[in-house]
Amino acid sequence: MTKDTEQKYWLALSQLNISGNKLLQFFDHHKSLERLFGLSETQLQSYGFRQGLAHKLEKTDWHKVERDLEWLDQDNKSLIPITTQDYPALLKQTQGAPALLFCYGNKSVLNQHQIAIVGSRNPTPQGKTNAQQFAQTLAQAGAVITSGLALGVDGFAHQAVVDTQLPTIAVTGTGLDRVYPARHKKLAEQIIENGALISDFALGTGVRAGNFPARNRIITGMSLGTLVVEAAIRSGSLISARLAGEQGREVFVIPGSIHNPLAKGCHQLIKQGAKLVETAEEIIEELQALALWQIESQASHNQQNQTVSFELDSDYLKLLDQIDYDTTSIEQILARSNLEIEVVSHMLLLLELNNHIDSVAGGYLRK
């Protein structure tokens, strides 16, 4: 079967709500998607598909398929079935993984280690700052920041990463032939330059309230952990946190004032067992302690043979010059750099994560 023919059948499936997990079971027996379209209702049910699928397959809008092929036949636009290596490995492990993803941008970032950032659409000024600072620090440490392109925390996190010219992934609740909200059109264009927009919704799918919880399961499913910045008691971010927990992923929460209504949802999550974090470094340390960061980073390197580079600016180069090829104590580094301990600790962590120094007994060692 040619690539175009295969894409036609996958695009036909995009018109249906079909289980990716069931498709994987089907592919264990048949390597051809075309075969699926020739099975009877009884045969389809024997593979675990829902009743009525045969009738839906017969009703496929093949004219729409042809229009969708025209969209795909453009630069940086791709279709990623669950049966391919480009499909996010972590997402494939989740229950209810979508059968395919539409991607606009750099699809290789989908298998790099990701951290989701979610929160209120109307954050406080401090919430905005937290979203920006955490996103930038995590991105500079090598994580791809994944969020939902929504107003508020999502948008601030995406923009902060875009401003550092590092990749971020936006998972949308509509088809990729439109941008919602419309005011994020420019942001979406910036994201595509280094990162990607993705969706499991068919092209032409508009704004529907029920799409956004479904989108959230992809955001959390692709990520090693989810950070909740600000959230009220009744918040979509709490749905994301619940989904992350159900998927066996880490949930991190920034606490806030007891008088801030946008902190109440965060505090509820902490009471339920989410990890309270005050710095981005705590997230990195937690994921490293669980051996998640290294495992996913190595998997990304093996599959894509590329990683996110961390460029040393003049401040990092100056600090690196204060570290010897023999063990240098933290006291020596502080005295030589004339920087505060909080600043130095942050910079040392990033230098270590990006393989410029080693942490050893008594201090640090330049490599």
Side-chain angles (χ1 to χ4, degrees):
M1 185 164 52
T2 67
K3 180 181 178 182
D4 283 349
T5 302
E6 185 178 6
Q7 283 193 330
K8 285 182 180 180
Y9 285 110
W10 280 109
L11 287 168
L13 287 188
S14 75
Q15 300 176 20
L16 308 173
N17 182 18
I18 189 167
S19 166
N21 306 107
K22 293 290 191 298
L23 271 178
L24 284 176
Q25 294 174 23
F26 173 80
F27 266 83
D28 285 341
H29 296 84
H30 304 281
K31 302 304 179 185
S32 170
L33 187 62
E34 185 177 5
R35 170 69 174 153
L36 184 74
F37 286 75
L39 296 180
S40 67
E41 187 67 47
T42 301
Q43 289 172 317
L44 287 168
Q45 288 186 44
S46 71
Y47 288 107
F49 293 111
R50 291 181 180 179
Q51 184 176 0
L53 179 59
H55 177 70
K56 291 179 180 178
L57 292 174
E58 290 176 2
K59 296 292 185 180
T60 297
D61 184 347
W62 293 105
H63 292 295
K64 182 181 186 307
V65 168
E66 293 297 330
R67 293 194 299 272
D68 292 350
L69 278 173
E70 293 177 6
W71 183 89
L72 280 171
D73 191 26
Q74 299 176 51
D75 290 341
N76 291 331
K77 294 179 178 178
S78 52
L79 193 64
I80 304 177
I82 195 170
T83 54
T84 64
Q85 290 187 344
D86 290 329
Y87 193 93
L90 283 182
L91 182 61
K92 188 181 293 188
Q93 299 170 10
T94 63
Q95 187 65 33
L100 71 160
L101 298 170
F102 291 87
C103 178
Y104 188 4
N106 180 9
K107 65 182 180 182
S108 70
V109 299
L110 301 185
N111 270 300
Q112 293 179 17
H113 47 277
Q114 301 169 42
I115 295 176
I117 296 182
V118 299
S120 172
R121 284 173 168 75
N122 297 288
T124 63
Q126 186 60 59
K128 172 185 175 180
T129 299
N130 288 341
Q132 293 170 325
Q133 291 181 345
F134 273 72
Q136 283 193 342
T137 301
L138 291 168
Q140 289 171 336
V144 174
I145 301 304
T146 299
S147 196
L149 199 64
L151 298 176
V153 165
D154 290 19
F156 293 131
H158 286 308
Q159 189 67 61
V161 179
V162 163
D163 289 344
T164 64
Q165 297 184 321
L166 290 169
T168 179
I169 297 171
V171 186
T172 73
T174 65
L176 289 189
D177 53 338
R178 60 193 65 197
V179 174
Y180 178 81
R183 72 178 73 175
H184 275 171
K185 187 175 187 299
K186 181 179 179 182
L187 174 58
E189 293 170 351
Q190 293 173 318
I191 289 171
I192 291 164
E193 292 179 12
N194 294 298
L197 306 177
I198 70 166
S199 176
D200 68 324
F201 293 106
L203 298 172
T205 302
V207 180
R208 300 169 190 160
N211 289 357
F212 294 97
R215 171 206 63 181
N216 293 349
R217 81 185 191 283
I218 298 178
I219 294 173
T220 58
M222 293 197 302
S223 303
L224 295 169
T226 293
L227 171 66
V228 181
V229 177
E230 281 187 334
I233 288 294
R234 296 183 181 277
S235 167
S237 300
L238 299 191
I239 296 176
S240 296
R242 175 178 58 79
L243 289 168
E246 291 173 354
Q247 292 164 336
R249 309 296 154 75
E250 300 301 307
V251 178
F252 304 99
V253 181
I254 300 174
S257 166
I258 60 172
H259 305 293
N260 177 9
L262 293 180
K264 293 189 179 299
C266 295
H267 295 166
Q268 177 178 304
L269 290 172
I270 293 169
K271 292 175 183 177
Q272 293 171 347
K275 183 174 179 61
L276 183 157
V277 292
E278 296 174 314
T279 65
E281 289 79 8
E282 290 177 281
I283 298 174
I284 298 169
E285 290 168 2
E286 179 74 9
L287 293 176
Q288 285 186 317
L290 295 170
L292 292 173
W293 189 283
Q294 296 95 324
I295 291 172
E296 183 63 7
S297 177
Q298 186 61 40
S300 172
H301 179 77
N302 290 341
Q303 292 176 16
Q304 306 297 340
N305 197 29
Q306 64 179 58
T307 56
V308 178
S309 61
F310 170 67
E311 298 293 335
L312 296 183
D313 62 20
S314 59
D315 291 334
Y316 280 90
L317 288 171
K318 287 178 183 176
L319 184 64
L320 191 58
D321 285 340
Q322 313 311 316
I323 303 171
D324 301 323
Y325 292 99
D326 295 317
T327 301
T328 312
S329 69
I330 186 68
E331 290 79 12
Q332 289 174 302
I333 297 171
L334 288 170
R336 294 172 181 177
S337 66
N338 291 318
L339 295 172
E340 297 294 327
I341 179 65
E342 293 84 0
V343 175
V344 169
S345 297
H346 167 75
M347 295 175 73
L348 289 174
L349 177 63
L350 293 183
L351 287 171
E352 183 180 358
L353 285 172
N354 287 276
N355 213 31
H356 294 289
I357 60 175
D358 275 331
S359 176
V360 297
Y364 292 87
L365 189 71
R366 185 168 178 173
K367 299 179 73 170

